[in-house]
Amino acid sequence: MKKHFSIAVIAGDGIGPEVISEGKKVFSGIAALDGGFSVTFEDFPWGCEYYLKTGEMMPQDGLDILRPFDAVYLGAVGYPGVPDHISLGGLLLQIRRGFDEYINLRPIRLLRGAPCPLAGVQPQDIDMIVVRENSEGEYANVGARLYAGTPRETAIQTGVFSRHGCERVIRYAYELARREKRSLTSISKGNALCYSMVFWDEIFAEIGRSYPDVETHSLLVDAASMFFVKDPKRFEIVVTSNLFGDILTDLGAAIAGGMGLAAGANLNPERTYPSMFEPIHGSAPDIAGQGIANPLASIWAVSQMLDFLGENSWAKSLLDAIEILLTERRTLTPDLGGHARTDDVGAAVLEILAR
Ligand code: NAD
Ligand code: IPM
Ligand code: MN
């Protein structure tokens, strides 16, 4: 029987719908080229406009609605007019936490043809995978706001680093490093965060004893940021906390072609819940509605989705096609120095795949 993938789509806000429509085009086109599987999308209009109409970012039973799908494909969430902590807390972060998508895989890879602001760096010098903890840490959503409106007003935001939470992400990263025969760098901040990050570092060392074959490094996040710029080659597999992973992957995007090229997979490795695939950029209000957003990050996220769904050879071909598009330079959006429109790009990628 022909395989079928059923994908829930939350295009979201700003450039979200513009870029996601190209990703859907590419996924459907690949299904047609393959012939051995089919794909259907169900679109959910959740996001800031939905919030302004209903007072919620998604329905109360939103997670139950998403649960039966093979994957969630998300554009971007957040727009001026709705406070960011409400929009993100009510949708994207709900899904990551609610579906226990505790691995955030963010490849930082300088494809040939992609712009790089660093001098003397070749594509092979930037090729890492950041494994970001995605369910707790600094994003645990624990805290309080005390004495509001008085001079004693106080905000408390607590990080949560559980043994279970640290072990599973660190173990995942070791397994990945072992499988790919690449080094593993843990990035933390034990010199200042003497509870959470010291605990993280201990667990990184503990688990490492079962992986004597994996070369490891530990870096403080400040020094790691410096090395991302000065010597990105030293990073292969990287494992880090939720907040550090967020920040480092925007830096990673900047050295590897820009926000328009950076994708991420929010994985529930046990497949108890659907995983979610997205560009790592936001809704880009500064360019929304102009038809010039770069959809390649969203298309790269489709490659990650295909990989997770078992279509590994299409996942690879799609990434190769993105690289060919970048080197041919015929259909690039303005952020990559071209004149193409967002909705030219999906077709151009499919044309390359069909060759
Ligand atoms: P952003 O990523 O939206 O934009 C940063 C800069 O990168 C902007 O100049 C933008 O034009 C550019 N950019 C981003 N994606 C691009 C693309 N595909 N093509 C070309 N240029 C692109 O970050 P921001 O401005 O800090 O955030 C805007 C909103 O998005 C906020 O509400 C924020 O909370 C939200 N946000 C959402 C997500 C998400 O849904 N995953 C991620 C980050 C930010
Ligand atoms: C990302 C985003 C989110 C994060 C925001 C929008 C909550 O920046 O996916 O990188 O911090 O995880
Ligand atoms: Mn981010």
Side-chain angles (χ1 to χ4, degrees):
M1 217 181 74
K2 196 162 159 169
K3 252 184 298 175
H4 179 73
F5 302 124
S6 137
I7 310 296
V9 179
I10 306 169
D13 306 313
I15 62 170
E18 303 172 40
V19 293
I20 286 302
S21 109
E22 295 310 287
K24 287 162 73 179
K25 204 185 278 179
V26 168
F27 199 149
S28 300
I30 287 176
L33 285 171
D34 183 276
F37 67 88
S38 56
V39 61
T40 49
F41 301 102
E42 188 167 337
D43 293 287
F44 296 95
W46 305 341
C48 288
E49 268 180 50
Y50 185 89
Y51 176 86
L52 293 174
K53 278 190 233 135
T54 65
E56 298 174 323
M57 287 298 292
M58 66 173 162
Q60 292 283 326
D61 59 348
L63 292 183
D64 297 331
I65 295 172
L66 298 176
R67 178 92 196 247
F69 287 90
D70 293 306
V72 178
Y73 187 39
L74 183 135
V77 180
Y79 215 70
V82 180
D84 275 343
H85 68 283
I86 291 183
S87 56
L88 277 311
L91 188 51
L92 176 70
L93 297 175
Q94 290 280 347
I95 299 173
R96 286 185 187 161
R97 281 195 292 259
F99 284 166
D100 206 17
E101 293 167 348
Y102 61 88
I103 299 295
N104 193 190
L105 270 193
R106 295 189 159 182
I108 310 256
R109 177 163 160 205
L110 181 63
L111 299 181
R112 277 178 292 124
C116 177
L118 307 180
V121 163
Q122 303 304 314
Q124 64 272 16
D125 298 334
I126 302 182
D127 186 3
M128 59 178 118
I129 299 176
V130 175
V131 182
R132 169 191 180 191
E133 203 293 319
N134 211 33
S135 65
E136 54 168 36
E138 307 88 339
Y139 280 50
N141 203 23
V142 179
R145 188 78 173 260
L146 304 175
Y147 313 119
T150 76
R152 299 163 65 200
E153 187 160 11
T154 304
I156 302 173
Q157 184 103 36
T158 305
V160 172
F161 289 73
S162 65
R163 176 166 281 282
H164 173 70
C166 296
E167 279 184 356
R168 63 184 183 174
V169 64
I170 289 172
R171 194 176 294 283
Y172 185 97
Y174 270 108
E175 287 291 329
L176 182 61
R178 170 175 279 173
R179 209 164 50 242
E180 301 214 340
K181 298 190 175 23
R182 306 184 79 202
S183 68
L184 175 62
T185 301
S186 164
I187 298 178
S188 63
K189 185 70 188 170
N191 56 355
L193 304 180
C194 58
Y195 300 103
S196 56
M197 292 292 172
V198 169
F199 189 46
W200 173 283
D201 290 344
E202 282 171 17
I203 293 174
F204 182 68
E206 253 169 61
I207 294 184
R209 284 182 217 119
S210 310
Y211 296 85
D213 49 313
V214 175
E215 176 189 330
T216 61
H217 305 275
S218 277
L219 284 176
L220 296 163
V221 67
D222 43 358
S225 310
M226 179 272 292
F227 284 130
F228 260 53
V229 173
K230 297 285 280 184
D231 186 21
K233 202 173 175 178
R234 66 167 64 214
F235 299 101
E236 296 187 334
I237 310 294
V238 169
V239 65
T240 191
S241 70
N242 210 329
L243 179 62
F244 293 171
D246 174 48
I247 298 167
L248 286 169
T249 52
D250 264 37
L251 179 54
I255 61 170
M259 295 308 290
L261 268 167
N266 304 273
L267 302 181
N268 173 249
E270 293 75 21
R271 298 177 192 251
T272 310
Y273 304 99
S275 291
M276 177 166 66
F277 301 81
E278 53 168 353
I280 79 169
H281 62 70
S283 57
D286 53 341
I287 57 164
Q290 299 175 30
I292 55 167
N294 185 352
L296 288 174
S298 295
I299 293 172
W300 192 328
V302 168
S303 163
Q304 292 190 296
M305 183 154 43
L306 286 163
D307 205 27
F308 194 71
L309 294 171
E311 298 299 329
N312 316 78
S313 107
W314 278 115
K316 183 176 181 314
S317 305
L318 177 50
L319 202 51
D320 291 344
I322 294 174
E323 193 159 46
I324 292 169
L325 186 92
L326 289 167
T327 50
E328 290 184 348
R329 302 202 58 77
R330 278 187 297 160
T331 317
L332 298 181
T333 45
D335 57 305
L336 296 176
H339 301 285
R341 315 269 310 158
T342 307
D343 62 5
D344 296 330
V345 177
V349 169
L350 282 174
E351 184 268 316
I352 293 168
L353 282 168
R355 280 180 202 164

